[in-house]
Amino acid sequence: MVNHSCTSDACTFLVCPCGSNQALNFGAKKKLLVCTDGSCPHSKLGNEFPIINGTPILIPDLKCDTAFTRGNTRSYVSRATHDLPSFMLKIRQWLMGDITTRENVDHFRRLFDCENKIRILVIGGGTVGVGLDLLIKDLDCEIVVVDVYASDAVDYVCDSHYLPFKDSSFDAVWIQAVLEHVIDPKMVVAQIARVLKPKGAVYAETPFMQPVHEGAYDYTRFTVLGHRYLFRDFRAVKFGANRGADIALAWSLKYFMTALLRSKNIGRACFYLAIIFLLPVRPLLSRWISADSASGVFFVGVKTESRLTHRELPKLYRIK
Ligand SMILES: [Zn+2]
């Protein structure tokens, strides 16, 4: 999946994330990248972007307001869930239900022509999660993965508020369980629109009724309509709720028990017990009411010239 084409001279779409839209040149021994805009601090000796184990660290911390630094590329957040063995992840996936994500991946893949050598950007793909594995399965195209920490899956470490890519570089963008962790989601979505080609596709999945996770790097939640409006410059193909009130209740119980007994392990056990207990009840839940307290929300859409208006937004409530 990982494509490191931009660490070679052949790179055509990488630019400095400082906002100058200027190309990057290699520095000493190809272990550094330097901005070609002389007024950018990252063009100066000693301020270059490092390349660590083949992965460029493109955090413009000298020019832009960012929570990250070029010098610290280890994991900024705990990845406890993703450290589970794969069979446990599969059981977890089955218990929590992933039907919506599967359907959404199908909708998303229909928005671009896989025969046409397209390029997809995955934001926050440091760990291949539920959904992304379905997307990349049997997909023959160029996939570029970015995250705020380095991993085997990551092509570029960057802050998604400052994507290091030229305008109109991608045919599609995938952003799953990321927008709650960015400080300014509107700014990140504007970056997504910028790097997408006209009529480029986006898939976003974001928590709604989930407590804070990943500590100091968790900032925002969205209702279905709030999330739809975040992508106001996109035509919606499909949007809605992902996982219903039963999962939201299990999240609440987990944090209630953790707060009461000060034990994350007991909280986690209560979470799974609640899901198992509620599993038979899931088909009985009202779809609409469950959506109003869903665990997450999603959006599948296409970049467009016309903007969704305030007048139109409330009319979209409970429209499939
Ligand atoms: Zn620059």
Side-chain angles (χ1 to χ4, degrees):
M1 177 177 75
V2 180
N3 185 312
H4 282 278
S5 60
C6 278
T7 54
S8 76
D9 292 322
C11 172
T12 55
F13 59 95
L14 199 67
V15 292
C16 181
C18 69
S20 65
N21 224 20
Q22 291 294 309
L24 292 164
N25 279 343
F26 282 109
K29 297 179 182 173
K30 293 200 170 185
K31 287 185 175 170
L32 300 164
L33 284 165
V34 190
C35 182
T36 52
D37 174 7
S39 67
C40 172
H42 294 287
S43 67
K44 308 285 186 289
L45 198 66
N47 295 344
E48 303 94 336
F49 298 107
I51 300 175
I52 298 173
N53 298 327
T55 307
I57 313 298
L58 300 171
I59 307 272
D61 52 349
L62 297 176
K63 176 78 185 283
C64 305
D65 182 18
T66 171
F68 307 103
T69 59
R70 283 166 300 142
N72 180 6
T73 60
R74 298 306 305 162
S75 180
Y76 288 92
V77 291
S78 84
R79 314 295 297 179
T81 301
H82 303 292
D83 291 340
L84 291 171
S86 64
F87 78 94
M88 286 187 68
L89 277 175
K90 281 201 165 63
I91 293 171
R92 184 181 191 275
Q93 190 177 332
W94 177 77
L95 284 172
M96 293 184 70
D98 69 332
I99 294 165
T100 311
T101 303
R102 274 175 205 278
E103 286 176 3
N104 292 345
V105 171
D106 288 342
H107 279 282
F108 182 60
R109 284 180 59 151
R110 278 186 225 124
L111 296 177
F112 45 82
D113 180 7
C114 296
E115 306 293 313
N116 224 348
K117 265 291 161 207
I118 60 156
R119 185 185 292 142
I120 300 178
L121 174 64
V122 175
I123 299 176
T127 312
V128 178
V130 178
L132 182 55
D133 53 346
L134 301 171
L135 171 72
I136 59 179
K137 193 179 174 191
D138 307 324
L139 193 63
D140 180 24
C141 66
E142 185 180 355
I143 294 185
V144 177
V145 179
V146 298
D147 213 318
V148 291
Y149 63 95
S151 82
D152 290 344
V154 170
D155 296 288
Y156 306 103
V157 170
C158 70
D159 178 342
S160 55
H161 297 86
Y162 311 101
L163 290 175
F165 306 113
K166 280 184 186 169
D167 298 356
S168 305
S169 295
F170 294 91
D171 300 274
V173 173
W174 173 278
I175 181 161
Q176 184 185 33
V178 172
L179 286 169
E180 75 274 28
H181 299 301
V182 305
I183 294 173
D184 189 340
K186 192 177 159 189
M187 187 173 167
V188 172
V189 174
Q191 285 285 300
I192 291 171
R194 182 184 68 77
V195 301
L196 270 176
K197 294 175 184 172
K199 297 182 183 173
V202 70
Y203 177 69
E205 203 177 291
T206 313
F208 173 32
M209 298 292 280
Q210 286 183 34
V212 166
H213 51 278
E214 302 190 352
Y217 296 91
D218 191 338
Y219 309 104
T220 318
R221 296 294 181 270
F222 292 95
T223 61
V224 171
L225 289 190
H227 198 244
R228 169 66 191 95
Y229 193 67
L230 185 63
F231 291 89
R232 71 200 73 166
D233 294 319
F234 291 76
R235 175 176 63 79
V237 172
K238 195 170 180 246
F239 65 95
N242 199 4
R243 292 171 176 159
D246 54 323
I247 302 296
L249 181 58
W251 285 122
S252 291
L253 190 66
K254 173 183 176 178
Y255 279 69
F256 172 80
M257 293 307 288
T258 304
L260 184 68
L261 300 173
R262 284 131 177 105
S263 164
K264 283 188 177 179
N265 286 334
I266 292 176
R268 202 171 290 136
C270 289
F271 176 70
Y272 288 110
L273 281 173
I275 289 176
I276 292 166
F277 179 75
L278 293 168
L279 202 54
V281 183
R282 188 179 294 164
L284 305 178
L285 295 175
S286 153
R287 180 177 152 230
W288 291 123
I289 296 171
S290 192
D292 282 345
S293 56
S295 176
V297 296
F298 68 87
F299 178 81
V300 189
V302 173
K303 183 177 156 182
T304 177
E305 293 295 315
S306 63
R307 171 169 287 192
L308 178 73
T309 63
H310 288 202
R311 192 164 286 131
E312 291 168 315
L313 186 67
K315 296 173 187 166
L316 300 178
Y317 183 59
R318 293 189 176 178
I319 286 182
K320 188 177 179 183

